[in-house]
Amino acid sequence: MENAPHLTPVLGRYFERTWSHGEGHRLFDTDGRAYLDFANGIAVTALGHRHPRVTAAIHEQVDRLVGPINAIGFTAPISELATALAATFPDPLDSVMFLNSGSEAIDGALKMARRVTGRPGIIAFRGGFHGRTFGATSVTTSNLNYRTGYEPLLPGVYLSPYPMPHPELGSDEEAASAAALAILQSLLTTVVAPSVVGAILIEPVLGEGGYVPAPSSFLQALRALADEHGILLIADEVQSGYGRTGAMWAFEHAGIVPDIVCVAKAIANGLPLSAIVSSRDLQERWGRGAHGSTYGGNPVACAAGLAVLATIADEDLIANARARGAELVTGLGKIAAEDDRIGDIRGLGLMIGVEFTDRATGEPDGTLPDRLMAASADAGLLVLTCGRVHEVVRWIPPLDVTAAEIAEAVEIFGESLAAIPRG
């Protein structure tokens, strides 16, 4: 805080460095040192820094129109981005409401579900992170500190285990899926009737909670359960969307279609923008004026968003995420073969988690990853931690990362880990 004595001490930071500028996939501090940026503002700058196509779109739009326009009519970049974004989704997801942040998108989706269904109940999953606003906090359990002191939170929220391998759920993916589904079904027969549940909210890949993909079998069972009881299925794709997992949307891996999808982070490569996407029928039933935003869908952010989508399509970056992700997992696997402090490597595409555990006891190591994150930064690589006790190092490289950059990052990571003594 020496460089910013009047900034709030409340905001958490992974690093205390002061940043000067970004160029491509490198972030530079004020001493002029470059860092390979595989943190990307927590999966936000998915095309890296100062991407020429995005930057040009921003400059062009700034010279035309900056201020919010939605409440008084239409403007091209907003309408065009809605069309382009909707085209990335399967039917019937064809209507877009723009907002400012992931938290706002979650809050709006929960409001839509309650109002459209007339049911107050919301089911979410333990370990999930959905944001910091009041509604989003009510369905967030990735860290107890995010909830502590804010109770009573939103009523009618019910939490069920996320389908991840755990001593209580089983040691493999399918056992965990079956056990988590059984607990959810028990919840619906002993705690809350399905007839009063309006929404089931899930991250197709658990984000802050540890970078754990939900098994396809579990997501398919959720879709069937929601259909059976008239419940809306909401996918939080704030961190996992936009090609991050090697598909445009993580839910596609399971072959399902949610009723509502929440989008943010990478949508405008660093400018504040988010979206709720659903069928037009749902949004018409939600009703005119039922929700809104002054700044949501800022024309400059939407111009950037158009450039992001065009770049992903023109450069085949979803395929790049799959190919570079496979290289990343292979490289990390070689490190794990030499260091048994790594307990698991998991994920999809370029959304990979490296979990540090005691292989004998299975207990998570909540100390080593933070030390490794700091050591990697000192060596010129930015990665972040996540998980309940920060037991996971998460890898979220830019979608247009190169094979050479993956190799460079893996080498830095391996050398940094090897230099940390056991104990």
Side-chain angles (χ1 to χ4, degrees):
M1 294 295 293
E2 292 180 2
N3 294 330
H6 299 290
L7 277 178
T8 175
V10 175
L11 184 63
R13 292 179 177 84
Y14 287 97
F15 306 105
E16 293 298 320
R17 290 168 167 81
T18 300
W19 305 107
S20 166
H21 64 284
E23 186 68 40
H25 299 160
R26 310 278 170 172
L27 194 57
F28 293 79
D29 65 21
T30 49
D31 292 328
R33 186 178 181 196
Y35 301 75
L36 186 56
D37 187 4
F38 278 24
N40 295 301
I42 316 183
V44 171
T45 50
L47 301 181
H49 302 282
R50 232 179 85 180
H51 187 279
R53 192 166 185 173
V54 176
T55 300
I58 290 170
H59 279 293
E60 182 180 352
Q61 183 58 43
V62 163
D63 288 336
R64 181 179 293 116
L65 177 65
V66 173
I69 201 73
N70 284 309
I72 56 174
F74 303 93
T75 192
I78 303 172
S79 300
E80 291 171 4
L81 181 58
T83 298
L85 182 58
T88 69
F89 284 95
D91 291 334
L93 304 176
D94 62 357
S95 290
V96 178
M97 170 177 275
F98 289 118
L99 301 164
N100 302 285
S101 70
S103 298
E104 284 188 50
I106 294 295
D107 274 16
L110 297 180
K111 288 174 68 177
M112 183 198 296
R114 280 189 165 178
R115 183 149 163 165
V116 166
T117 65
R119 303 174 179 183
I122 298 163
I123 293 174
F125 294 90
R126 296 176 195 167
F129 179 88
H130 300 288
R132 304 294 195 110
T133 53
F134 201 76
T137 296
S138 301
V139 289
T140 289
T141 53
S142 57
N143 187 310
L144 190 59
N145 187 46
Y146 299 158
R147 300 170 61 90
T148 299
Y150 300 126
E151 296 88 352
L153 291 164
L154 192 68
V157 172
Y158 304 88
L159 299 169
S160 198
Y162 193 88
M164 59 191 296
H166 186 275
E168 295 178 5
L169 298 181
S171 59
D172 66 78
E173 181 179 280
E174 287 309 315
S177 177
L181 183 61
I183 293 171
L184 174 58
Q185 290 171 331
S186 176
L187 178 74
L188 293 170
T189 57
T190 62
V191 179
V192 56
S195 60
V196 297
V197 175
I200 297 174
L201 169 67
I202 190 167
E203 293 173 278
V205 180
L206 197 66
E208 305 293 313
Y211 271 40
V212 184
S216 293
S217 60
F218 188 80
L219 293 175
Q220 290 161 4
L222 282 190
R223 180 67 275 176
L225 184 69
D227 288 341
E228 178 184 356
H229 296 291
I231 299 169
L232 297 178
L233 180 60
I234 304 173
D236 179 346
E237 291 264 11
V238 168
Q239 192 161 172
S240 60
Y242 265 71
R244 171 60 55 192
T245 65
M248 188 63 187
W249 307 107
F251 66 76
E252 294 179 288
H253 291 285
I256 66 162
V257 181
D259 297 293
I260 305 169
V261 182
C262 296
V263 184
K265 285 193 181 291
I267 189 171
N269 207 54
L271 295 186
L273 187 65
S274 67
I276 300 170
V277 183
S278 75
S279 68
R280 188 164 196 83
D281 173 67
L282 271 185
Q283 298 206 19
E284 286 177 344
R285 288 163 57 196
W286 196 8
R288 188 178 182 91
H291 195 55
S293 170
T294 297
Y295 287 100
N298 175 275
V300 179
C302 287
L306 282 165
V308 169
L309 279 182
T311 301
I312 290 173
D314 292 349
E315 298 183 10
D316 202 9
L317 294 185
I318 295 175
N320 192 67
R322 290 194 295 268
R324 303 289 83 76
E327 293 167 356
L328 175 58
V329 169
T330 297
L332 293 171
K334 291 177 181 178
I335 296 172
E338 301 293 328
D339 197 316
D340 64 6
R341 290 175 291 183
I342 295 178
D344 192 22
I345 299 169
R346 57 177 179 254
L348 299 166
L350 288 173
M351 188 174 182
I352 304 299
V354 179
E355 181 174 313
F356 288 81
T357 58
D358 184 317
R359 289 191 184 180
T361 66
E363 287 299 312
D365 187 334
T367 302
L368 177 57
D370 281 335
R371 293 178 64 192
L372 180 54
M373 176 180 67
S376 296
D378 288 342
L381 169 68
L382 301 180
V383 288
L384 304 177
T385 56
C386 65
R388 183 176 58 85
V389 294
H390 288 206
E391 72 274 19
V392 178
V393 174
R394 53 177 151 173
W395 292 74
I396 37 179
L399 298 181
D400 53 354
V401 67
T402 66
E405 289 168 333
I406 291 289
E408 177 187 354
V410 168
E411 182 178 6
I412 292 172
F413 186 77
E415 291 175 351
S416 299
L417 176 60
I420 298 176
R422 299 169 181 270

